[in-house]
Amino acid sequence: MQADRYLVIDFEATCCDKGTVARDKMEIIEVGAVMADGASLAVVDEFQTFIRPVRHPLLTPFCTTLTSIEQKDVDSAPLFEEAIGHFKTWLYQYSDFLFCSWGDYDLKQLRQDCAFHNLPYPISASHVNVKRLMAERQKLSKKPGLGEAVRLAGMTFAGAHHRGIDDARNIARLLPYIFGEARLRR
């Protein structure tokens, strides 16, 4: 799966541990995206924005604790349509990229939000679940979570786990284990 570039995306969304935010009613509140060079696997650019949710405009304490995203971050953020417009402007400076995410959640959440806001799906590239691909490539018996994968690679997680931009950066750090020749130390 060689590409000129790898687009690594991680979304954070509204959520609750008490069932008040149903999975099909969750909304993206942060876009974290990293563009990596296909040959060197080095990060060449980044994009980050918060998004103001409309279904559940008040973040739950669980969501704030999990993501470290605060109410003031989303209150002053653009709405989904505007934020995705900024994202597309950034994204389409590039061509021939593969859309990568840790699992299929990000792909499904973006499709769900686009449908809710009646907007066309914004990414023209094919999607690859790099969590699955890394497990296959590294011959792991199960698909690790992002934090575990970073640890297996002998690295320390950089930034805050469950922050879109930090998760995207950490996934990008794993690209040599997914698309390159790097092997996990086990």
Side-chain angles (χ1 to χ4, degrees):
M1 278 190 202
Q2 186 65 31
D4 284 353
R5 290 176 193 80
Y6 296 103
L7 167 66
V8 178
I9 291 183
D10 188 83
F11 297 124
E12 300 305 326
T14 54
C15 56
C16 183
D17 61 343
K18 300 195 184 334
T20 58
V21 180
R23 191 157 202 56
D24 66 342
K25 303 283 190 268
M26 292 169 57
E27 294 173 84
I28 296 169
I29 56 172
E30 183 188 11
V31 175
V34 171
M35 190 66 74
D37 179 75
S40 69
L41 304 178
V43 171
V44 296
D45 203 357
E46 295 182 352
F47 176 88
Q48 187 277 341
T49 188
F50 293 115
I51 298 176
R52 186 169 7 130
V54 295
R55 286 177 167 166
H56 297 278
L58 294 178
L59 301 181
T60 64
F62 174 78
C63 185
T64 297
T65 300
L66 178 69
T67 65
S68 76
I69 297 170
E70 297 181 12
Q71 190 66 45
K72 65 180 169 105
D73 296 325
V74 297
D75 283 347
S76 61
L79 293 170
F80 184 80
E81 183 173 9
E82 181 183 352
I84 291 303
H86 295 310
F87 170 69
K88 286 172 57 178
T89 298
W90 171 79
L91 179 61
Y92 288 106
Q93 304 171 79
Y94 303 99
S95 59
D96 191 28
F97 53 85
L98 190 60
F99 168 18
C100 305
S101 66
W102 198 258
D104 291 326
Y105 159 78
D106 302 276
L107 172 68
K108 292 174 183 173
Q109 187 65 51
L110 181 59
R111 285 183 174 156
Q112 177 178 295
D113 281 30
C114 287
F116 174 73
H117 292 281
N118 200 25
L119 292 173
Y121 180 75
I123 302 174
S124 61
S126 297
H127 175 262
V128 64
N129 175 338
V130 291
K131 178 180 184 176
R132 180 190 48 75
L133 195 57
M134 182 175 170
E136 290 172 3
R137 193 110 199 264
Q138 298 294 328
K139 297 179 179 22
L140 301 174
S141 58
K142 64 179 191 147
K143 295 178 275 207
L146 180 55
E148 176 67 5
V150 169
R151 188 191 66 72
L152 287 171
M155 297 183 272
T156 302
F157 198 91
H161 196 22
H162 298 297
R163 270 303 299 276
I165 192 61
D166 291 339
D167 286 358
R169 289 171 178 154
N170 281 284
I171 297 166
R173 293 169 66 206
L174 294 171
L175 291 177
Y177 299 90
I178 300 163
F179 297 111
E181 300 303 316
R183 294 289 166 245
L184 296 175
R185 299 177 221 139
R186 289 182 277 166

